[in-house]
Structures are given as C-alpha cells and as structure tokens.
Amino acid sequence: MSFDAIPTDYSVARIVETVEQILGAGVLPPIIQAGHPVLRHVAAPYDGQLSDADLGHLIDLMRSVMHKAPGVGLAAPQLGIPLQLAVLEDQFEVDPEVAAVRGREPLPFFAMLNPRYQPLGTATAAFYEGCLSIGGLQAAVLRPESVRLDYTTPDGTQLERSFTGWQARIVQHETDHVHGVLYLDRAELRSLSNNAEYAARWSQPDISRARKELGFLPGPAED
C-alpha cells in the first residue's frame, strides 16, 4: 500500500484492511507526516474492530516503530490507521538536572485505547516538544502539569490513572493525536525552532532563555 493510498474513512472493513496490509508487509511502516488528513480527524473509537491477535501484533509493531524513530509515543493515526490507539514509553537516559527541572521520570511501556484526559488542578508548565509526524521542528507548548487519564487497556479493562510532569506531557501529546490535534495547534509559534537551532540555542532544562529572546510567554515583570 502506498503512502498516498492510506484510507481516511472509518469503516471497519477499511480499518481492518489497512492493519492487515501494514502487518503483512514484513517491514516497519513509515510515520505519516503533517499534511495527511488522517492526522486531522478524530480517530474511530476502538470497539473490537480487530481480532485480539491483530491488535496485539499492531501494538508490538507500533512499539518497534516508536523505538526506531526514536520517540516516546506513537499513535495509530501516525501509521495511517484511524483508530484511537497509542503506545507510550520513556526509558531514555536524561541528564539529572534536565530531569529534575522537567519532572521527567521513566515511563514504563503501555498501550491505551480510547484515551481522554482532564487537568488536575490549575498548574501549568511550558517546555519544548517535537513530534515524529512533524520532522525537524520543535516548539514550546504550555500544558497542564498534571492530568487524569481515562482509557481502556488492550484486554478491555477500563482504567483511570494520574500523571504529572513529563509523563503527563507525553500522555497529553499522544491523546491529542487520536483526536486530530497536533502539538503545533497548542504551541507558542514564536518559539518555533528547527532542530539545529534548538540544539544550539534553546536546549537548556527550562525555556526561560528562549522565552526571553524569542518573545513568547512573557514573565510577570514583562507583562
């Protein structure tokens, strides 16, 4: 199946056909890039469209694609599959200072179906984010610091979990994907940087330098 042939309709037959073609290809599929409509529609809620075996194989494949990219999350629409399914895992080694400032702790692998999140409290935090479907760019995104995630596990169990810090950011980013939202929709566009500029100038633990020099999210003294 070619990149351009990826379907954007939600019929069970087309979803199953797409998954079977991806699983049967014998290679890791490419990650769909921004501009493809599959990333801009609310994906179909998962309600048993796939067999348990195919769902398990798809989750395994998504995990492999995520690792190869590499990334900390991947949603089914990023493979051209309009289903509310995403995988998440953050086991990267991070500088302790960066981890402390960003509230970044390891996130064990899990897959979530039909996710929804709600902010817990009013605290927010802004940090740079990137996306496997928006190659070469990063931008600062202001998000709730803590969220409650409601989702279904692959075995059909409905769960409610709380996340904070960087884990909450990953959860929000991937949940947004299955609802047709990209991180740039929530980003401070004046912060937008290509990867080289980000690495050279803005990769400090926090965004204070970028905020000041690029002129976004002014602090209290600058309001």
Side-chain angles (χ1 to χ4, degrees):
M1 180 174 58
S2 70
F3 180 88
D4 291 335
I6 292 169
T8 54
D9 70 74
Y10 293 174
S11 69
V12 174
R14 291 302 300 275
I15 289 173
V16 171
E17 178 186 6
T18 303
V19 171
E20 289 179 346
Q21 288 179 329
I22 289 174
L23 293 179
V27 296
L28 294 182
I31 296 174
I32 303 304
Q33 295 299 298
H36 195 290
V38 72
L39 297 175
R40 284 316 203 168
H41 293 274
V42 178
Y46 184 79
D47 61 3
Q49 293 95 330
L50 305 177
S51 68
D52 290 346
D54 279 351
L55 178 60
H57 292 153
L58 176 59
I59 289 170
D60 289 342
L61 180 140
M62 290 174 63
R63 188 180 189 184
S64 296
V65 174
M66 175 180 66
H67 285 171
K68 181 183 177 182
V72 296
L74 186 75
Q78 292 180 276
L79 297 186
I81 303 167
L83 277 179
Q84 292 189 18
L85 164 65
V87 297
L88 306 85
E89 184 177 20
D90 184 6
Q91 302 291 349
F92 288 104
E93 291 187 10
V94 182
D95 178 87
E97 180 185 1
V98 173
V101 171
R102 298 180 183 178
R104 187 167 181 174
E105 297 181 355
L107 177 63
F109 177 81
F110 75 101
M112 59 185 188
L113 297 161
N114 305 335
R116 302 287 189 278
Y117 66 81
Q118 293 291 332
L120 293 176
T122 59
T124 57
F127 292 104
Y128 269 89
E129 292 183 24
C131 180
L132 299 178
S133 290
I134 306 175
L137 296 174
Q138 299 193 44
V141 184
L142 183 69
R143 292 189 183 272
E145 193 168 36
S146 299
V147 297
R148 184 193 74 205
L149 176 69
D150 296 284
Y151 70 102
T152 302
T153 66
D155 68 5
T157 303
Q158 295 186 3
L159 290 182
E160 176 184 302
R161 294 173 62 184
S162 296
F163 296 87
T164 192
W166 205 258
Q167 293 184 353
R169 185 168 296 271
I170 297 170
V171 163
Q172 292 171 76
H173 184 113
E174 297 308 325
T175 301
D176 283 351
H177 262 306
V178 303
H179 294 283
V181 177
L182 298 176
Y183 84 94
L184 286 181
D185 298 330
R186 305 189 186 279
E188 298 294 324
L189 291 184
R190 290 183 66 90
S191 72
L192 188 66
S193 302
N194 71 21
N195 286 346
E197 287 293 328
Y198 171 78
R201 301 176 185 274
W202 316 126
S203 58
Q204 300 84 19
D206 65 22
I207 65 164
S208 57
R209 179 181 170 188
R211 177 184 58 75
K212 181 178 180 180
E213 295 191 24
L214 296 179
F216 64 93
L217 290 174
E222 301 167 295
D223 289 343

